Amino acid sequence: MRGIFYGWWVLLGLFLIYTANNGILMHTLPLFYPALTEEFGWNQEQVTQPASYLFILAAFLTPFMGALFDRFSTRLIMVFGIAAVVLPLAFYSRISSLGELTVIYLVGAVGLAGSGLMPNMLILTRWFRRYRGRAVGILLMGSSLGGALFPLVAGETLAEQGWREASQLIAVIGAVMMVVAIALLVRNRPEDMGLAPDGDPEPTAALDAASAAATAGPTLGDAVRTPAFYLLLFATGGMWFCIVGIIQHQSLYFGDDLGVDTATLARIFSAFFWSAIVGKLLFGFLADRFDKTLVMLASVFNLTIGLLILRHADPTSSLSLYGYAVVYGIGFSGAFAAIQLVIADFFAGASYGKILGVFTMVDSIAGAMGIQYLGAQRVADGNYLQTLNEMIGLTLVIAAVVGALYLIHARQRRAR
């Protein structure tokens, strides 16, 4: 009787790491923004600016990290990346200035580049081929699970004791999760253990196929000569502009502009990311059965609807507040999952690490621009409404671009 394929244990380890680092750094720390603005007198642009620096630094690090991941042990590099996440989280509760908050995020950027999405995806794509869609959906669910659980864990402490104590609590929990996972579960590739991707019963033939697949696929030079590369860059960058900008500012929009209290805000955050879990599982499942570009298109329309609900949110209506959390949460997670799957579908191969590094760099820069743009416009306009109008328009343009990608993808399939 065959045991459980070890790739599922690897997936569990990656899931725990991704749940902790992304769930805390990107999705839970923004919960503290209203408390920081109240204690230190910072405005919306100032308090979110360090997070934009995180994305900018991560953007410039990813091409170099992609090349390192293609040449050296991904797991070993992830060990250093995890250390660079744990360290700033340990000191977050001690900050007293914007400069110190900025340093926290800059060190965290190094950690995310070394232990975040890119190395997780690289290891995952080595262990899974036929089941890649559902495996990616499960992995990406970790970020949303972290965003759903950590705000609930921190919310009560935040309300009763303050943001410093709440940040200490989530730092300890996150550190334990990541250290245990990388030490006990994560391994670089199935071939190192005499296994084949997906747990195929005939490892020799499967390993030969895996080896052939690893040397196939477009190079970075091949990729940049195709229209699909630039269309996909625009689409993913545009989605990250909207997704990251909204996630970093939604607590300020609800708290400062709509007057939502801290306890309700934590519940909205949690509902948002629980919905994101559903979205990642749903879109990962759909991507294994339908054209991945069509799945990506559906996620873009979901983002558009979520932004419309947010634009007209009524602070006295729970249906309005939680309706946004559910719809945009599903759209955000669906787009996130679809982006990774479409990039792999177009460009998987020997240079996948370098190509993914370019996309991650552009997407990170776009996310930083979204954070900064929303902050600057909030200070200039006194509200977020005009910026939300612009984001709604941008998602409609992205939908048209993804439609063009679908036509290119269809032609490629017919040519095979």
Side-chain angles (χ1 to χ4, degrees), residues 135-175:
V136 169
I138 293 171
L139 171 66
L140 298 184
M141 184 179 69
S143 175
S144 299
L145 181 63
L149 292 179
F150 282 110
L152 290 180
V153 171
E156 185 175 346
T157 305
L158 175 63
E160 295 182 358
Q161 301 182 42
W163 65 270
R164 295 184 188 274
E165 290 76 9
S167 66
Q168 290 172 355
L169 176 62
I170 61 174
V172 171
I173 297 172

Side-chain angles (χ1 to χ4, degrees), residues 133-414:
R134 69 195 67 180
V136 169
I138 293 171
L139 171 66
L140 298 184
M141 184 179 69
S143 175
S144 299
L145 181 63
L149 292 179
F150 282 110
L152 290 180
V153 171
E156 185 175 346
T157 305
L158 175 63
E160 295 182 358
Q161 301 182 42
W163 65 270
R164 295 184 188 274
E165 290 76 9
S167 66
Q168 290 172 355
L169 176 62
I170 61 174
V172 171
I173 297 172
V176 172
M177 289 173 61
M178 289 186 284
V179 171
V180 169
I182 195 68
L184 301 182
L185 298 173
V186 176
R187 298 294 182 269
N188 275 315
R189 60 183 75 245
E191 295 91 335
D192 296 342
M193 302 178 67
L195 300 172
D198 300 311
D200 285 334
E202 297 179 359
T204 302
L207 290 176
D208 289 343
S211 178
T215 58
T219 66
L220 178 58
D222 294 332
V224 299
R225 288 191 288 270
T226 65
F229 181 83
Y230 299 99
L231 290 172
L232 195 52
L233 271 181
F234 176 84
T236 62
M239 284 191 283
W240 270 100
F241 179 90
C242 296
I243 289 169
V244 175
I246 292 297
I247 288 176
Q248 292 293 320
H249 282 270
Q250 60 183 353
S251 64
L252 295 168
Y253 178 62
F254 286 123
D256 294 348
D257 290 12
L258 301 185
V260 175
D261 62 84
T262 300
T264 303
L265 183 59
R267 289 194 293 270
I268 292 172
F269 261 55
S270 184
F272 179 94
F273 288 108
W274 279 118
S275 301
I277 292 170
V278 174
K280 285 174 180 175
L281 285 174
L282 173 63
F283 280 88
F285 176 84
L286 292 175
D288 280 340
R289 285 157 177 77
F290 302 100
D291 186 285
K292 293 176 178 58
T293 50
L294 282 181
V295 175
M296 186 176 184
L297 182 60
S299 72
V300 176
F301 284 127
N302 217 325
L303 288 176
T304 305
I305 297 170
L307 287 170
L308 283 168
I309 297 173
L310 182 64
R311 169 64 175 79
H312 299 284
D314 179 356
T316 65
S317 169
S318 295
L319 179 62
S320 172
L321 299 178
Y322 290 101
Y324 152 75
V326 171
V327 174
Y328 198 77
I330 292 174
F332 141 70
S333 60
F336 196 24
I339 285 170
Q340 310 310 318
L341 294 168
V342 171
I343 293 172
D345 221 35
F346 273 96
F347 302 116
S351 298
Y352 176 59
K354 296 183 182 69
I355 295 171
L356 183 60
V358 173
F359 276 93
T360 304
M361 178 183 69
V362 172
D363 292 348
S364 297
I365 292 174
M369 291 172 61
I371 297 171
Q372 292 189 330
Y373 186 72
L374 263 71
Q377 291 304 110
R378 171 59 178 79
V379 172
D381 299 340
N383 60 64
Y384 289 101
L385 299 183
Q386 179 57 35
T387 309
L388 290 173
N389 291 336
E390 294 167 357
M391 285 190 164
I392 291 166
L394 176 58
T395 59
L396 295 175
V397 175
I398 293 169
V401 171
V402 176
L405 280 168
Y406 168 72
L407 297 177
I408 293 173
H409 202 216
R411 284 199 300 269
Q412 288 180 348
R413 288 199 314 272
R414 288 194 297 268

Side-chain angles (χ1 to χ4, degrees), residues 57-128:
L57 179 57
F60 287 102
L61 287 174
T62 47
F64 302 102
M65 298 302 294
L68 290 177
F69 289 133
D70 281 340
R71 294 184 59 191
F72 302 106
S73 167
T74 307
R75 179 174 176 265
L76 179 60
I77 297 173
M78 287 184 71
V79 170
F80 292 100
I82 288 171
V85 172
V86 170
L87 184 63
L89 287 178
F91 284 93
Y92 190 93
S93 64
R94 304 181 185 183
I95 62 169
S96 58
S97 68
L98 267 177
E100 292 173 351
L101 182 62
T102 300
V103 171
I104 293 290
Y105 274 100
L106 290 177
V107 178
V110 178
L112 283 181
S115 66
L117 178 61
M118 185 165 62
N120 280 273
M121 281 294 298
L122 286 172
I123 290 180
L124 195 66
T125 54
R126 295 168 185 162
W127 281 91
F128 295 96

